Amino acid sequence: MKSFDYFRPATVRDAVTAAAEPGAVYLAAGTNLLDLMKGGVTAPNRLVDITHLSGLDRIEELPDGGLRIGALIRNADLAHDPYFARRFPVVAEALLSGASAQLRNAATVGGNLLQRTRCAYFYDTVSACNKRNPSSGCDAQGGDNRLHAILGWSKNCIATHPSDFCVPLVAFDAVVELEGRAGRREIPLEMFHRLPGEMIVAVRLPAGAARFATNARYLKVRDRTSYAFAVVSAAAALRLEAGVIADARLALGGVAPKPWRARNAEKILIGARAAAPLFHRAAEVALVEAKPSGDNAFKIDLASRVVARALALAVAGTPERMPALPASPFAAVPGVLTHA
């Protein structure tokens, strides 16, 4: 492993300034970064340790009813918070389907958004990979690519985004807060790309996402039932009124270079009566632009089946997994605020 400088800033502003230096990266839990460093995939000149920064480990209820989740909140802590899981069960379900319990105990919200692809050619430093070495090519095309993208890919890259957490966040129009040298700004997660010198400080879920709490599911299909990334996943959330779908949110994971929002399929669902034929039609619409990127044509049919099944599970209702709400949201969690 290459030698590097270690810097422990006192404030977010100090962290942003330190990370502006060429070759600097942020360090939180390091569950992805340290693996990349040990494998020689990335070789930063400086690690900027943000794990102790004040205010990034809080969950805050916003005046409009939404929720602001600090970038350093651990995945397990968020998923197991009773109040959060009651209001946003499909997000909690997605978090609990990712990685292992040990990794969820360490990994952070911000790190989850920024994790790199798990494409084997990205990790293999002797292979051509445009993500690792721009303009070098993409050995995944023509290689072992059965798990690669079927939506949104190009001749430059067919890797998929690995996050489970991001799939329902995209479906619910979550917003990412960024801090850079020019100050703080926000961007919808669906349009999110990190710019040099910016650091994630929080993720915000809008209040409207809680309206889907009764009928929302996250379904993940993987090669083995634990500790594996999605071959295909789907977050489906419906708001039902007398059996009619008043509103719908649908997003897919494991199929594209980013979490994939299926807006055209949502339009098919809204205003229609919930039924299996409708779900299959919505699935067809969600995958209408899909095409194989190599030896992965099976993923198109699989994704269609996963979407239809996720919608059926959502209609059946969100499973009862959590205890009753605490009297005061987040009151039992040290250092966590109840208001903005």
Side-chain angles (χ1 to χ4, degrees), residues 9-331:
T11 66
V12 169
R13 177 56 53 188
D14 290 342
V16 169
T17 300
E21 296 294 326
V25 297
Y26 294 111
L27 172 68
T31 55
N32 187 206
L33 174 63
L34 296 183
D35 282 344
L36 295 173
M37 291 172 64
K38 288 186 286 187
V41 179
T42 187
N45 297 324
R46 170 186 285 186
L47 296 187
V48 181
D49 185 350
I50 64 171
T51 55
H52 62 290
L53 292 182
S54 175
L56 300 187
D57 59 350
R58 298 176 178 178
I59 304 172
E60 303 173 85
E61 190 156 22
L62 301 175
D64 66 356
L67 211 62
R68 183 178 186 272
I69 306 160
L72 291 180
I73 294 289
R74 306 291 177 176
N75 289 356
D77 292 339
L78 183 62
H80 289 295
D81 183 278
Y83 184 75
F84 176 83
R86 286 281 192 176
R87 294 189 68 200
F88 310 106
V90 68
V91 184
E93 190 171 26
L95 281 167
L96 292 174
S97 74
S100 65
Q102 293 91 335
L103 285 172
R104 291 195 297 269
N105 286 338
T108 63
V109 163
N112 194 306
L113 270 61
L114 289 175
Q115 63 181 300
R116 303 303 299 274
T117 180
R118 264 51 180 195
C119 174
Y121 297 95
F122 173 74
Y123 276 80
D124 180 10
T125 56
V126 301
S127 296
C129 174
N130 288 320
K131 278 187 177 292
R132 190 184 64 252
N133 185 15
S135 301
S136 65
C138 175
D139 277 350
Q141 301 194 43
D144 182 4
N145 50 30
R146 64 178 293 271
L147 300 181
H148 285 66
I150 56 174
L151 287 165
W153 59 273
S154 73
K155 63 180 182 179
N156 294 317
C157 182
I158 60 173
T160 59
H161 191 271
S163 173
D164 293 295
F165 179 47
C166 287
V167 179
L169 290 184
V170 163
F172 288 139
D173 298 316
V175 172
V176 182
E177 290 185 22
L178 303 170
E179 183 87 20
R181 301 191 77 173
R184 187 163 296 194
R185 71 188 186 104
E186 59 188 51
I187 185 170
L189 179 59
E190 191 174 8
M191 302 170 59
F192 171 69
H193 292 92
R194 189 184 66 150
L195 297 179
E198 289 188 315
M199 182 181 80
I200 294 175
V201 294
V203 177
R204 297 207 312 266
L205 271 166
R211 293 199 294 267
F212 295 90
T214 304
N215 298 97
R217 292 300 304 270
Y218 182 75
L219 180 61
K220 177 178 179 178
V221 174
R222 40 195 160 182
D223 278 341
R224 60 184 189 275
T225 56
S226 63
Y227 316 151
F229 294 97
V231 177
V232 173
S233 66
L238 304 173
R239 187 163 59 83
L240 299 175
E241 295 179 358
V244 174
I245 301 172
D247 201 358
R249 302 294 172 88
L250 182 64
L252 285 77
V255 297
K258 65 176 185 178
W260 195 263
R261 180 79 177 266
R263 292 184 180 274
N264 287 338
E266 292 173 355
K267 294 176 182 177
I268 293 291
L269 294 165
I270 295 172
R273 183 164 294 278
L278 173 68
F279 301 154
H280 289 292
R281 172 61 181 149
E284 291 175 359
V285 171
L287 277 299
V288 69
E289 296 180 356
K291 57 182 179 179
S293 56
D295 190 26
N296 64 353
F298 78 97
K299 289 185 71 170
I300 300 175
D301 180 63
L302 178 61
S304 180
R305 292 170 183 267
V306 168
V307 167
R309 177 61 174 160
L311 288 167
L313 289 172
V315 170
T318 304
E320 190 70 30
R321 297 184 306 275
M322 305 303 296
L325 286 178
S328 175
F330 314 120

